[in-house]
Amino acid sequence: MQFTDTHLQADAASAMRGTNTLETLRRTLSAARETIAAADAILHTGDAVHDEAGGYRWLQRELGGYDKPVLCVPGNHDDPLAMRELLPAPFEHAGHRDFGRWRIVMLDSQLVGETGGALSPAELARLDATLAGTHSDTPGTTPQHALVVLHHHPVPMQSAWLDTIGLGNAAEFFAVLARRRASVRGVLWGHVHQEFDAEHGGVRLLGTPSTCVQFAPQRDEFALDTRPPAFRTLMLHEDGRIDSRVHWVH
């Protein structure tokens, strides 16, 4: 399960661009209830809050009670230190988590004070080392497939304003993936508030709409879409295939 860009605020009654983000998150979770029950993990891909650390208590309250790991990466509106402090277990931050033959790698693409993002040299090195650990000459002893998760989009969205605030060093990111192409099966992100599904060098690329407002796709200037909140489900198969679908909450 992936939820993203919840943009929660300290005041439960607060709105972002006319939308009460806590109310839309609750609607989304209600629509996803049965799917969450069957899931192995929940992913949250950034912008958990909208610049207010007090919003983390709402995320803890809404996602922390499912008795499942909640794998998180920070977005440009997040405070990573506050996230770690206010979102304890079952929330997990950065690092990686193995599920059977799959390894989910969580990356911090935040640039403090910036809307766009980048992966630091240390984060790129960690990605490389973590992906290296998915290869083994003895099948079954280590994960064989990897899903890489971050906040900022590493490929153009064909939206002029949005593509100025994506992953600034995407070429370096994809260079690491190319070195580890034997294991990398997918890349998953938030940030874009719209659906994206493509392929790059044999790797599935997935962007996911927000649980609150959506951005109108393929626009030169910022504009909101009229589409409802959404979440994504992912089925990671033992042979490396990914089945995924965006669910719109009407």
Side-chain angles (χ1 to χ4, degrees):
M1 301 288 299
Q2 181 199 12
F3 303 100
T4 194
D5 296 271
T6 45
H7 289 276
L8 298 169
Q9 300 176 67
D11 183 353
S14 294
M16 186 188 76
R17 300 188 181 279
T19 295
N20 182 305
T21 57
L22 179 58
E23 188 273 334
T24 57
L25 174 60
R26 286 173 170 169
R27 281 174 48 207
T28 303
L29 293 177
S30 178
R33 184 179 296 112
E34 292 185 7
T35 314
I36 295 173
D40 293 304
I42 297 170
L43 304 175
H44 193 296
T45 49
D47 283 358
V49 302
H50 194 69
D51 303 320
E52 294 184 14
Y56 291 125
R57 69 186 177 99
W58 294 112
L59 194 70
Q60 195 282 330
R61 184 173 299 183
E62 299 300 325
L63 291 185
Y66 287 105
D67 194 29
K68 298 176 186 292
V70 185
L71 313 182
C72 299
V73 298
N76 48 288
H77 286 282
D78 285 311
D79 179 339
L81 292 178
M83 285 182 77
R84 291 176 181 272
E85 178 183 351
L86 299 174
L87 296 175
F91 292 84
E92 300 179 17
H93 305 275
H96 67 273
R97 174 65 104 97
D98 294 343
F99 296 90
R101 299 195 69 189
W102 281 83
R103 172 164 291 177
I104 298 179
V105 185
M106 297 166 279
L107 298 177
D108 181 352
S109 61
Q110 187 194 70
L111 286 174
V112 178
E114 301 290 337
T115 306
L119 297 169
S120 69
E123 199 71 344
L124 288 167
R126 182 175 70 84
L127 171 64
D128 191 48
T130 304
L131 293 176
T134 61
H135 177 74
S136 173
D137 293 330
T138 307
T141 60
T142 61
Q144 301 294 303
H145 315 299
L147 174 68
V148 180
V149 178
L150 71 167
H151 181 66
H152 293 87
H153 52 295
V155 293
M157 299 292 296
Q158 309 305 319
S159 182
W161 74 272
L162 190 56
D163 289 336
T164 65
I165 56 171
L167 189 70
N169 57 344
E172 295 175 66
F173 171 65
F174 281 114
V176 174
L177 300 192
R179 287 198 296 274
R180 305 301 177 187
R181 61 183 176 271
S183 60
V184 180
R185 301 288 178 258
V187 179
L188 178 70
W189 63 84
H191 191 51
V192 296
H193 290 242
Q194 59 193 264
E195 182 177 4
F196 184 86
D197 192 339
E199 191 174 282
H200 178 93
V203 177
R204 186 89 174 267
L205 305 178
L206 298 167
T208 301
S210 166
T211 63
C212 55
V213 298
Q214 313 304 345
F215 299 156
Q218 300 183 352
R219 297 290 183 90
D220 287 343
E221 298 181 355
F222 174 84
L224 291 179
D225 204 350
T226 58
R227 302 212 72 171
F231 64 96
R232 181 183 288 279
T233 53
L234 300 105
M235 176 70 76
L236 308 181
H237 294 276
E238 287 193 2
D239 62 3
R241 289 178 297 116
I242 300 174
D243 289 334
S244 186
R245 176 189 167 197
V246 167
H247 304 255
W248 298 95
V249 180
H250 295 283

